[in-house]
Structures are given as C-alpha cells and as structure tokens.
Amino acid sequence: MEQVKDRSKLFWLIHVIGWGIMFGFPLFFATREGNAITWRWFLGYAFVPLAFMIVFYTNYFWLIRRVLFRKKLWRYIFLNLLLISIICVCLDAWMTYHFTHFAEKTVSTHPGPPKLLFISRDFVLMALTAGLSVAIRVTGNWYRSETERKELEREHAEAELKNLKNQLNPHFLFNTLNNIYSLIAFSPEKAQHAVHDLSRLLRYMLYENNQTYVPFMKEIEFVNNYIALMKIRLPERVHIGTDIYAESDPEVAPLLFITLVENAFKHGVHPVGESFIHVNLHTIGEREIICRVENSYFPKAENDKSGSGIGLENLRKRLALLYPGRYELGMEVKEGRFIAELKLNTL
C-alpha cells in the first residue's frame, strides 16, 4: 500500500514539473528579447500549454480508458480528431483576438505566416500529445499488471511453501513414531528415551519451521539429535558414521537436510544383513553447504508399497521455491550404495 502511494505521489510530481516547465518556458527567454513581461502577454501564451493539457488529460482520464481500452479504435480516433480540431479552432480564435489587440500599439510592416500553417502545426503537436498520453497510460497499466502478477506469484509461492511444510511435519512424525513403536516390544526403556528425544525434535520443528531461515548451527543440532534418536533402535550390525561440522553459520531454510538423512534410515537398513549409513554435512566458506548421505542399497520388492517418496519430492519443490538456480541435488546408485548429495548456495 505504501508503494502505491509513493508511486502516485511521484506520478503527480512528474506531471507538475513537466507542465510547470511548459508554462514557464517563455519566461526564460523573454528578457533576452528586451520585452517586459506583462500578465496580458503571458496570458496569450498560457492558453497554448493549456490547450495541450486538455488534449492530454481528456485522453488520459477518459478516452483511453472508456474507448481505446474497450477496443473501439476507430471511435477513439474519430473523437480525438474532433477534440483536436475544436481546440485548434478555439486556440486560433483566441490567439487572433489576443494578439490583434496586443499588437495595436506596435507597428509591423511584415505580413505574418499563413494562418493554416499555425493551425496545422498545432494539430500535429496535439496529435502527438494524444499519442504520448496513450504511451504513458499503456506503460502504467503494464507496470501495474506486472506488479500485481509478481505479487500473485509471490503469494502463490508462499502458500505452496507453507503447504509443503505442513506435509513435512506429519511425514516426519509418522516415520519417527514407527521407529519408536518398534522399540516398545523389546525395550520399553529405550522407547521412553526415544519419546523424550522426539519431543525435543518436535519442539524445534514447531518453533523453527515457522521461520523462513534459521542459523545453520541449529540445523546441525537437529540432525545430530535425529541420528541419536535413530541409533537407539538399530542393532550393532548397522554402522552409523557422521562427519558434521561448520566453518561458518549461514542462514538456511529449516529442515532441508533431514529429508536425506531420514531417507537413508528408512531405506538403507537391512532387516538381518550388514548395513551402513554415513552422513557428511558441512559448510564451505561463508555461503556454501554440502550434505552428502551414503547408505547401503537394498532395492525394494515390487510388492513393497512403503515409502511413497513424498519426502524427496517435497524437498525438490522446496528447493525450487527457496533456492532457484542456487542448488544441485543428485542421487545415484553406485557399487551397492545409494548416494544423495545436496549442494546449496545460501546467498
């Protein structure tokens, strides 16, 4: 709203300055001719820019909006020709009357240029003024439409991002509760600790996830807490390795990296065989973050419907909205390992 008011003020300021220059133009040259400036002399000139103002603002506030923008081009041209013709005739009558009386005290032996020449000149200049009015009006409408379009795109992106965040919380909670549920049967004590750890994770998700960006150190703490929670239920045959550190503390969107880590725990652990998960999360310089997650790869059976992939799809959409052109997300299977890597430029 404030921007609209500022543009409106600037619009009228430009108009006042422009017409002020036109009305004051003869004052800059009158003294060079050695003639005294009188109100009667200035009044004769003032009707010229006044005539152009009538053409300009009649087009700007009425003809363009009511006729031209309604795709009535020939009617618009006809009304302009009629308007300009009437003003040219009136202006010529006024100039003839005014300068005839004004010139009674002067003696001139030189006949003036043909009257038709002056009328034709004024007609062409007024037509150009009408064209200028159209150009300004169309440009203003385009700028306003473009501003509204960008505002709608921004609101749509914010709504979509909010929806993605709302999807993320239930997805994360569902997977974590499944893990805790599996602990209850054989280790109620570990399950109690897991519930306590989960409460800390949920507290972070509830309060920090509402912010657009958080310090990277908080994301590191969250990832470490999540890994610690997952370790509680895993047997010794699952090897967990972490290499998580930060040389700087840039601002980053919350809960981006947890999706890759969560995916590794969900799909990288074999029910009976040896498994491994390695998480490498660190900064490079002041603005680049790299998250590389490797885990043992066990292809799912065709009848396995677990893991719809909503987490990874959610991550891709969030990255596209928050970091367009500033991220690289790659996933590959190599030598029995599933490798996911996210490179993020935070600035």
Side-chain angles (χ1 to χ4, degrees), residues 152-168:
L152 288 174
E153 287 181 352
R154 184 187 65 82
E155 292 177 356
H156 176 75
E158 289 181 353
E160 185 175 356
L161 185 59
K162 185 176 181 180
N163 182 53
L164 291 173
K165 286 183 177 181
N166 292 336
Q167 291 178 16
L168 181 64

Side-chain angles (χ1 to χ4, degrees), residues 273-321:
E274 293 286 326
S275 309
F276 77 90
I277 297 173
H278 186 267
V279 179
N280 186 315
L281 176 61
H282 63 277
T283 59
I284 297 180
E286 296 293 328
R287 63 182 185 178
E288 189 173 356
I289 299 174
I290 294 181
C291 179
R292 181 183 175 91
V293 181
E294 297 184 26
N295 57 269
S296 45
Y297 177 63
F298 304 106
K300 294 189 300 181
E302 293 183 359
N303 60 350
D304 187 353
K305 303 300 182 180
S306 65
S308 61
I310 185 175
L312 295 177
E313 185 62 26
N314 187 304
L315 174 63
R316 290 189 181 95
K317 290 181 179 180
R318 291 186 68 203
L319 288 170
L321 289 170

Side-chain angles (χ1 to χ4, degrees), residues 164-219:
L164 291 173
K165 286 183 177 181
N166 292 336
Q167 291 178 16
L168 181 64
N169 289 345
H171 180 261
F172 173 85
L173 182 60
F174 176 77
N175 291 335
T176 309
L177 287 177
N178 276 343
N179 293 331
I180 295 176
Y181 177 77
S182 65
L183 287 174
I184 296 175
F186 65 88
S187 180
E189 184 178 351
K190 284 186 176 181
Q192 289 179 351
H193 288 296
V195 171
H196 176 71
D197 292 339
L198 177 60
S199 67
R200 290 191 302 170
L201 296 178
L202 291 179
R203 187 178 301 112
Y204 177 84
M205 296 181 69
L206 288 174
Y207 293 104
E208 302 297 340
N209 197 29
N210 290 328
Q211 302 181 34
T212 305
Y213 299 101
V214 297
F216 179 62
M217 294 300 295
K218 288 189 175 182
E219 279 293 290

